[in-house]
Amino acid sequence: MRNKVLICIVLLLSIVTAPFSAESGQAATTTPYVSWDGAQLVKGQIGRVDILKPINLWKKENNKLTFVRILKPGERYRVYQFSSEFGGQYGVGGSHFVTKMAGYVEYKTPSRHKLKLVNPELYGTKLSIGTVTDEQSKVLAPGVTQSKLSVDSSRGKQQIYVLGVDQQASQIKFETTLAKDQMIGFETVSSMAARNQADEHFIIGGVNGDYFDSNGSPTDLTVHNGEIVTTNKTPENERTIFGVSPDGKAMIGNPDITLSMTVNGQNPYLIDSVNKRRFADHLVLYTPYFASTTMTNELGTEVVLTNIEGKLNGNGMVKAVVKEVIVGKGSAPLVPGELILSGHAKGSEYLKGLVAGDVVEINLAYNNPAWDKVEQAIGGRYYLVKNGVAQTISVTGAAPRTAIGIKKDGSVFVIVIDGRQTVSAGVTLTETAKVMKDLGAVEAMTFDGGGSSTMVAREPGNADATVVNSPSDGKERYVANSLLIVGLWKAGPLHTLLLSANDLKLFAGANYKNLNISVRGLDMNNNPITVTDPLAWTSTLGTFNSDGSFTAGKTAGKGTITASTGTIKASVNAEIVNTLDSIKIANPTVIVDKNGSFSIPASGYLAGKKIVDDPAVFQYTLSSPIGTVENGIFKAGNVDGSATVTVSYGTVSAKFNVIVGNPGSIVVENFEGSLSGWKASGARFNSVSIAPEKVYVKTGSQSLKVAYDFIGTTGTSGVYATPPALIEIPGVPVKIGMWVYGDAKGHWLRSQLRDAAGTEIQLDFTNNLDWIGWKYVEADIPAGLRAPYRIEMPVRYMETNDLNKNKGQIFVDDITAVY
């Protein structure tokens, strides 16, 4: 009796206080297998404690702690809760606790991302527009994260993409960029990102920017690296601008800028705009950002400025010298190191007073001093969140959206919500405001949306940023400008290995010539680094062989596969399984020469995924002794014959046919079973159809009926019968034949094949089908083609003569390959 009690106590302790390990405890089968620090992170777990010095394990009963036993140094426990009672207690399972004591226990917690994976209901994002059904996040670079949220909303499914940027990350910055680096023109966001990629200027992500005119010109204020590219066009109450101050602070507002000029310190005059179209009476300042010329007509005056000092920005002054005054010509060239003042009517008369050598001073001032010397700025339209309040916007219609928000702590995030698609319906502007508020924005605004909405991101280890959302046009739209997230690091030494595979499933005892795990190197900022040193491969689940192949262990279980070089290593989760739910054979019929051989093309599947194709895993049986099978290799005998080969593992099996020598002929399509995937099409017809036929049958229980009505049509008419997949023909036949029950209407009967090179082949059975009843017909396969062949369109029944346009039906059975 005493022994039974002891056993019960040991079992109880092993369940509720089991050490933190991949094998122990409360792993829920409904959550993904998430590895953290060499063990499985399980549902409900928030961290772990390591025992550093002997300490008591307590059990909480009746609001009191009762001593259980003394925990020893080196022991490790999962933590499921923390209670501030009794000086602070870590809950390690059930009602058992360990006291929080510095120097006695060390507590660690996984990243929020990993906690989300196993506890999505606790750590997942909550949105007022609907329920987040899936959330995936990853770190693109220090200070930059990417997330994707799948949402069920009242409007339908939504796909939301988020890039989060920590403004405190010293080597991360936002940067505006123009299509092809000029105001006039278009370019995709991914192309802008790739074009600006360089060492110490890594493009981590970005989104499309401002609304734009038909010529590609951004609508409102744009500042690039502290220099004004263009001024506002939209009225103040209808526009919103995102900007970044020189010290990196993000801002959202609707600033405007005033520009004025003097000549030799006198005669002040207002400048209407920078790099905008010149309207009546306007004076416009043009820079090389605009285009190759000012694109103006001859009705004005243009002044070329050189010897430029200063930068075009708020609270600043630019000083220049007049190089040339050009009257009545227009479209002056814009070249680096020069500016052009262009005036019409009143503006033109003012500029006519300038002469070469005059000193021009241009003064710039924002109406909000917070924007003075702004480093980057880009326009948008709708103010979504103001002072923490989501705005209601009276613009109807759901569409794709691009937006940017600033959180209370100063961090910034941009989002793209896909729309106009089954998988993502799109949202209204008011709904977009709610999303931005829910994601933490205290200030938020839109960029251009609809088909323009595009987000690019650079996957860790990749050189370039690529599109991550699904633009509603079906492809990237060419846009005017974009806002990029830039990393200013220089590519450093190898820091991390990134393995492509994740959660591999391997079959017990199988040999894998290639696990298809690609390895990429990253520096500490996720920049791609070439791995030059040889890699060492190890696994807890099997053995890597000298030829590079991998032999899985014979026992089912979970573990890891690890690649390492020096002290740098990375692992992928793997699982060994020993069950299959299906076996698939690549070809239903194989023809082999006498005394020839071939590898049996069998693969084992589990849950729809190919797990194994090692022939040593399977058992093989033959219906007749026409050869032998050894380790998956079929070796034919020296006589003609055929057999059915059964490939099996346990109770799962698949069969295929083997023909040794000359098979004579093989039926490749007998029209038995379901024909639901077959389709009828044609040319110049009133009606065409195909259907299974039970009465007019040559062999078996079913044939194919092909019906047509060509009456009154002109030109070549036809009815075509097409299978759901091309019909594979084994071996190298010389002819194709079929049985046809004719209607004696005198039409042309053909089939269409393709050879291994993709060459289209038309086979003619007869150009005058003049019989009623069953008849076997054949057509030669032309010489010089490459086997294997595939029948693409088994039946093409056609008429070229307008005087013989009628209607009828034929029946087809037993399409045959002849050798």
Side-chain angles (χ1 to χ4, degrees):
M1 182 67 183
R2 181 182 177 186
N3 288 339
K4 288 183 179 181
V5 172
L6 180 60
I7 291 171
C8 290
I9 293 173
V10 171
L11 287 174
L12 176 64
L13 290 176
S14 69
I15 292 171
V16 298
T17 64
F20 184 95
S21 68
E23 291 76 29
S24 66
Q26 307 172 16
T29 58
T30 58
T31 59
Y33 184 95
V34 177
S35 177
W36 173 52
D37 204 17
Q40 183 182 6
L41 186 66
V42 303
K43 193 168 185 65
Q45 181 184 351
I46 63 170
R48 74 151 195 257
V49 288
D50 289 304
I51 307 304
L52 305 179
K53 295 180 180 180
I55 192 171
N56 292 348
L57 174 68
W58 305 100
K59 185 175 183 180
K60 186 177 179 181
E61 296 177 312
N62 300 320
N63 205 30
K64 294 182 180 181
L65 294 181
T66 303
F67 172 77
V68 177
R69 66 183 178 93
I70 295 177
L71 303 180
K72 298 178 181 179
E75 293 184 31
R76 176 178 289 182
Y77 297 86
R78 290 188 174 100
V79 173
Y80 299 94
Q81 60 173 303
F82 177 77
S83 172
S84 60
E85 293 182 310
F86 307 107
Q89 300 287 327
Y90 295 113
V92 294
S95 56
H96 290 75
F97 292 86
V98 177
T99 303
K100 178 183 178 182
M101 291 183 63
Y104 285 78
V105 297
E106 181 181 20
Y107 175 72
K108 293 183 179 179
T109 186
S111 67
R112 185 177 178 85
H113 169 61
K114 291 198 171 187
L115 288 170
K116 276 186 182 181
L117 291 175
V118 294
N119 302 289
E121 71 284 358
L122 299 178
Y123 293 91
T125 300
K126 304 294 190 296
L127 296 179
S128 55
I129 67 165
T131 302
V132 178
T133 59
D134 184 59
E135 184 173 358
Q136 304 168 20
S137 299
K138 55 188 165 186
V139 175
L140 300 185
V144 183
T145 59
Q146 178 195 345
S147 301
K148 178 184 177 183
L149 288 74
S150 299
V151 181
D152 281 346
S153 73
S154 59
R155 192 176 298 283
K157 294 184 181 298
Q158 308 285 358
Q159 299 292 321
I160 303 177
Y161 302 83
V162 186
L163 287 175
V165 181
D166 180 3
Q167 287 296 89
Q168 303 304 313
S170 60
Q171 292 184 298
I172 296 288
K173 76 165 188 172
F174 282 102
E175 186 174 299
T176 61
T177 187
L178 290 170
K180 299 180 180 178
D181 287 335
Q182 287 196 325
M183 284 279 295
I184 307 300
F186 298 93
E187 190 176 4
T188 63
V189 177
S190 62
S191 176
M192 289 185 239
R195 186 166 49 77
N196 283 277
Q197 176 87 314
D199 193 18
E200 298 185 78
H201 196 268
F202 292 99
I203 307 304
I204 302 166
V207 292
N208 64 291
D210 200 355
Y211 298 77
F212 48 87
D213 295 335
S214 60
N215 61 5
S217 174
T219 303
D220 288 312
L221 179 68
T222 303
V223 178
H224 174 70
N225 291 344
E227 184 175 359
I228 292 177
V229 173
T230 188
T231 47
N232 291 315
K233 173 183 176 182
T234 308
E236 181 177 357
N237 64 340
E238 297 178 16
R239 68 169 184 261
T240 316
I241 309 295
F242 172 79
V244 181
S245 69
D247 61 359
K249 179 184 177 182
M251 304 177 290
I252 290 177
N254 52 8
D256 212 349
I257 190 163
T258 301
L259 296 91
S260 63
M261 62 174 286
T262 59
V263 181
N264 300 322
Q266 300 179 2
N267 199 13
Y269 198 91
L270 287 177
I271 298 173
D272 293 280
S273 62
V274 177
N275 288 332
K276 295 293 187 188
R277 178 183 173 188
R278 189 187 70 190
F279 290 101
D281 291 326
H282 274 205
L283 194 157
V284 181
L285 175 64
Y286 288 104
T287 78
Y289 278 123
F290 181 69
S292 58
T293 75
T294 59
M295 301 178 69
T296 53
N297 60 29
E298 70 279 7
L299 304 177
T301 300
E302 298 193 317
V303 174
V304 181
L305 303 178
T306 188
N307 297 336
I308 311 299
E309 297 178 12
K311 184 176 280 190
L312 283 172
N313 210 334
N315 193 25
M317 186 266 286
V318 172
K319 190 174 182 179
V321 176
V322 175
K323 176 182 178 182
E324 184 181 6
V325 178
I326 307 168
V327 180
K329 186 174 180 181
S331 203
L334 290 161
V335 298
E338 294 183 352
L339 304 173
I340 291 178
L341 292 164
S342 181
H344 174 271
K346 291 180 182 179
S348 174
E349 292 303 314
Y350 173 79
L351 293 178
K352 285 178 182 178
L354 278 66
V355 296
D358 282 345
V359 176
V360 173
E361 290 186 356
I362 301 171
N363 292 281
L364 307 96
Y366 286 105
N367 59 357
N368 182 344
W371 289 76
D372 285 347
K373 298 187 182 302
V374 63
E375 184 70 11
Q376 310 288 337
I378 189 167
R381 183 64 51 85
Y382 300 99
Y383 218 134
L384 298 174
V385 181
K386 285 185 180 181
N387 298 319
V389 179
Q391 304 296 295
T392 299
I393 302 168
S394 59
V395 176
T396 60
R401 305 291 180 187
T402 304
I404 189 166
I406 304 171
K407 295 184 178 182
K408 186 176 182 180
D409 63 3
S411 61
V412 180
F413 65 96
V414 289
I415 72 164
V416 165
I417 305 176
D418 281 339
R420 301 169 184 162
Q421 303 170 56
T422 302
V423 296
S424 192
V427 291
T428 66
L429 289 167
T430 297
E431 290 167 340
T432 309
K434 291 179 180 178
V435 171
M436 298 303 286
K437 164 70 173 173
D438 291 341
L439 293 176
V442 293
E443 302 287 325
M445 60 174 279
T446 65
F447 291 134
D448 190 13
S452 298
S453 286
T454 306
M455 178 180 287
V456 300
R458 189 188 72 162
E459 292 291 327
N462 286 354
D464 292 324
T466 55
V467 179
V468 296
N469 73 306
S470 297
S472 62
D473 288 352
K475 60 182 179 181
E476 264 194 280
R477 179 177 289 182
Y478 286 77
V479 295
N481 61 0
S482 61
L483 181 66
L484 301 178
I485 302 166
V486 182
L488 304 177
W489 320 284
K490 185 174 181 61
L494 181 67
H495 181 266
T496 307
L497 296 176
L498 184 65
L499 307 186
S500 63
N502 189 26
D503 296 331
L504 287 174
K505 276 190 169 57
L506 306 172
F507 198 79
N511 182 265
Y512 293 84
K513 294 181 180 179
N514 188 350
L515 291 176
N516 294 315
I517 303 174
S518 65
V519 181
R520 287 179 291 175
L522 310 177
D523 69 5
M524 65 182 298
N525 297 308
N526 284 347
N527 300 314
I529 300 294
T530 302
V531 180
T532 56
D533 294 333
L535 293 173
W537 290 89
T538 57
S539 177
T540 62
L541 292 173
T543 304
F544 282 93
N545 306 308
S546 59
D547 62 357
S549 66
F550 177 79
T551 301
K554 296 182 179 180
T555 304
K558 294 180 178 180
T560 57
I561 294 173
T562 301
S564 61
T565 174
T567 60
I568 300 171
K569 63 177 63 177
S571 300
V572 294
N573 296 325
E575 181 182 4
I576 291 181
V577 298
N578 56 11
T579 59
L580 297 175
D581 53 27
S582 67
I583 297 173
K584 295 181 181 180
I585 309 295
N587 298 308
T589 302
V590 177
I591 300 175
V592 62
D593 293 334
K594 287 183 284 190
N595 298 314
S597 63
F598 65 90
S599 297
I600 295 175
S603 300
Y605 284 75
L606 183 64
K609 183 178 180 181
K610 185 167 79 169
I611 298 298
V612 60
D613 54 14
D614 180 359
V617 167
F618 305 109
Q619 291 79 46
Y620 308 88
T621 57
L622 278 67
S623 62
S624 61
I626 62 168
T628 60
V629 179
E630 184 177 341
N631 198 30
I633 305 296
F634 177 88
K635 295 181 180 179
N638 61 359
V639 296
D640 293 335
S642 64
T644 299
V645 179
T646 301
V647 182
S648 61
Y649 178 84
T651 60
V652 181
S653 65
K655 297 180 179 181
F656 70 101
N657 298 317
V658 174
I659 298 171
V660 175
N662 188 339
S665 63
I666 300 174
V667 175
V668 294
E669 178 57 65
N670 59 13
F671 300 105
E672 302 298 322
S674 173
L675 301 181
S676 60
W678 283 70
K679 294 182 180 179
S681 61
R684 298 176 181 86
F685 57 82
N686 297 314
S687 64
V688 294
S689 65
I690 61 173
E693 172 60 34
K694 299 292 188 180
V695 177
Y696 296 93
V697 178
K698 179 59 182 174
T699 64
S701 61
Q702 191 170 271
S703 67
L704 181 72
K705 179 173 74 172
V706 181
Y708 61 93
D709 180 355
F710 299 154
I711 295 173
T713 61
T714 58
T716 300
S717 296
V719 55
Y720 315 136
T722 305
L726 275 62
I727 300 172
E728 305 285 343
I729 304 175
V732 188
V734 295
K735 297 180 180 182
I736 298 295
M738 66 174 69
W739 283 94
V740 180
Y741 192 104
D743 59 1
K745 295 297 178 70
H747 300 317
W748 184 12
L749 181 62
R750 316 181 84 187
S751 278
Q752 182 171 304
L753 279 69
R754 287 195 183 272
D755 75 350
T759 304
E760 183 181 291
I761 308 147
Q762 300 295 331
L763 303 182
D764 292 321
F765 297 103
T766 179
N767 60 8
N768 180 16
L769 199 158
D770 57 1
W771 67 88
I772 294 178
W774 287 105
K775 182 177 180 178
Y776 179 75
V777 292
E778 287 183 342
D780 293 331
I781 297 176
L785 299 173
R786 288 174 51 193
Y789 307 120
R790 297 178 296 170
I791 302 178
E792 188 172 42
M793 202 176 292
V795 180
R796 303 186 72 205
Y797 197 36
M798 306 165 64
E799 181 54 64
T800 61
N801 186 351
D802 289 347
L803 299 178
N804 192 33
K805 295 298 180 71
N806 46 44
K807 66 178 181 178
Q809 59 188 20
I810 63 173
F811 307 94
V812 179
D813 209 350
D814 287 357
I815 299 176
T816 304
V818 182
Y819 298 82

